[in-house]
Amino acid sequence: MTAPHSLEPITARVRNLWAYRYFVASSVRNELVASLTRSRLGIFWLFAQPLSLVIIYTLILSNVLSAKLPGVEGQYAYAIYLTSGIFAWTLFADGVSRGTTLFIDSADLMKKLSFPRVALPAVMLGTMIVQNFLFLLVALGVFLLLGHSFSLAMLWVPVLMILFGGFGAGIGLVCGAINVFVRDVGRLIPILLQFAFWFTPIVYPITIIPASYQGLYDLNIMYWFVSAYHDTIVYGRVPDATHFLVMATACLIAVLAAGFLFRRASPEMVDVL
């Protein structure tokens, strides 16, 4: 029995991606190596921005908010909460930012080389996940130094990384396809990310929001993802089953929407680029 016609483009792209799996893996490795060898400080720059945010916000806000962080004891409870949230947000924002400029930055490749273009998002997502995982290792080391203990719930973090990274990359690729034709999108995305960051409980716990407004945060899907990171890393809780299903569905919808739009717009993209 043959696959339904509607599934043929998807299965064809999966086969092409599998056939070029070594190309994707080597591209991810080369991009990471290149980012480390272009400067004297190398791997430090992978963590400089997120860790600098953690240090700044912790020094400024930890004394104010640490007493309002329920369920976690210790002098550095807020620092751990903040680092976990920034760790999650960095992956999402990286996916959106990279995806928005991916096709414009890869214009020469799309015009000159013959390879399945689905490899470009795969390389992007692979690089994001590896960099974020390295950041996770550094963050966990810091948590241990601060006396934070871990539970088996931490095993959910790699799953959350894939879901949140895929969600961010999917949104970014949708924006990236539109950005090829409407370049204003590339300028708008950083502004929207700033608003989304502050409307998501990352720098502050949701408990400081009046109870009458807390329900509005359920409309913010980023809150669901970031809360799952807080649950697993800070509180040692497994993600809620309903929340996990919503996050997986959001990731799937974003990836399918990006794939559909990319397939439809790809021929026109090459002409515009």
Side-chain angles (χ1 to χ4, degrees):
M1 180 180 295
T2 58
H5 178 72
S6 59
L7 295 180
E8 289 179 2
I10 298 177
T11 56
R13 289 181 181 277
V14 171
R15 286 195 300 268
N16 285 337
L17 188 57
W18 177 253
Y20 279 78
R21 62 190 181 279
Y22 298 114
F23 168 78
V24 172
S26 63
S27 297
V28 170
R29 184 184 65 249
N30 292 340
E31 185 168 340
L32 290 171
V33 170
S35 67
L36 298 180
T37 57
R38 287 177 191 147
S39 63
R40 293 180 181 273
L41 296 181
I43 197 171
F44 168 78
W45 296 115
L46 291 178
F47 317 110
Q49 183 177 7
L51 287 180
S52 64
L53 288 175
V54 171
I55 293 172
I56 292 170
Y57 291 140
T58 300
L59 290 176
I60 294 175
L61 300 175
S62 59
N63 292 330
V64 177
L65 295 177
S66 59
K68 300 180 181 180
L69 188 61
V72 183
E73 300 294 336
Q75 179 182 359
Y76 301 104
Y78 175 70
I80 295 169
Y81 176 91
L82 176 62
T83 305
S84 303
I86 289 182
F87 167 67
W89 181 262
T90 299
L91 179 61
F92 170 76
D94 194 26
V96 175
S97 300
R98 286 175 183 256
T100 301
T101 61
L102 178 66
F103 304 122
I104 294 176
D105 294 341
S106 306
D108 291 339
L109 286 175
M110 295 181 69
K111 290 178 180 179
K112 298 177 181 178
L113 295 182
S114 176
F115 68 99
R117 290 169 186 156
V118 71
L120 291 175
V123 171
M124 181 192 79
L125 183 59
T127 304
M128 287 166 42
I129 295 293
V130 172
Q131 289 182 339
N132 199 245
F133 184 75
L134 293 175
F135 178 33
L136 172 64
L137 295 180
V138 173
L140 294 182
V142 173
F143 293 167
L144 287 174
L145 292 175
L146 297 179
H148 184 63
S149 58
F150 301 111
S151 68
L152 291 177
M154 278 287 299
L155 297 176
W156 280 91
V157 173
V159 179
L160 296 176
M161 288 172 60
I162 294 173
L163 291 181
F164 206 14
F167 178 66
I171 292 178
L173 292 171
V174 169
C175 296
I178 300 174
N179 192 37
V180 172
F181 304 97
V182 184
R183 299 298 173 95
D184 293 327
V185 172
R187 298 181 179 272
L188 179 63
I189 291 302
I191 299 174
L192 294 180
L193 283 175
Q194 290 184 41
F195 277 98
F197 177 83
W198 287 104
F199 278 99
T200 304
I202 297 172
V203 177
Y204 56 90
I206 195 173
T207 51
I208 72 170
I209 303 299
S212 56
Y213 293 102
Q214 289 182 13
L216 295 175
Y217 279 80
D218 288 335
L219 303 176
N220 179 1
I221 188 63
M222 276 81 77
Y223 165 61
W224 294 53
F225 280 104
V226 172
S227 294
Y229 275 82
H230 285 150
D231 284 342
T232 55
I233 298 176
V234 182
Y235 300 105
R237 298 192 297 248
V238 232
D240 179 79
T242 303
H243 287 190
F244 182 81
L245 181 60
V246 171
M247 291 185 293
T249 302
C251 174
L252 181 62
I253 291 174
V255 170
L256 290 179
F260 173 78
L261 188 59
F262 179 54
R263 181 172 64 89
R264 294 293 298 270
S266 184
E268 289 80 9
M269 277 185 193
V270 176
D271 295 333
V272 173
L273 290 172

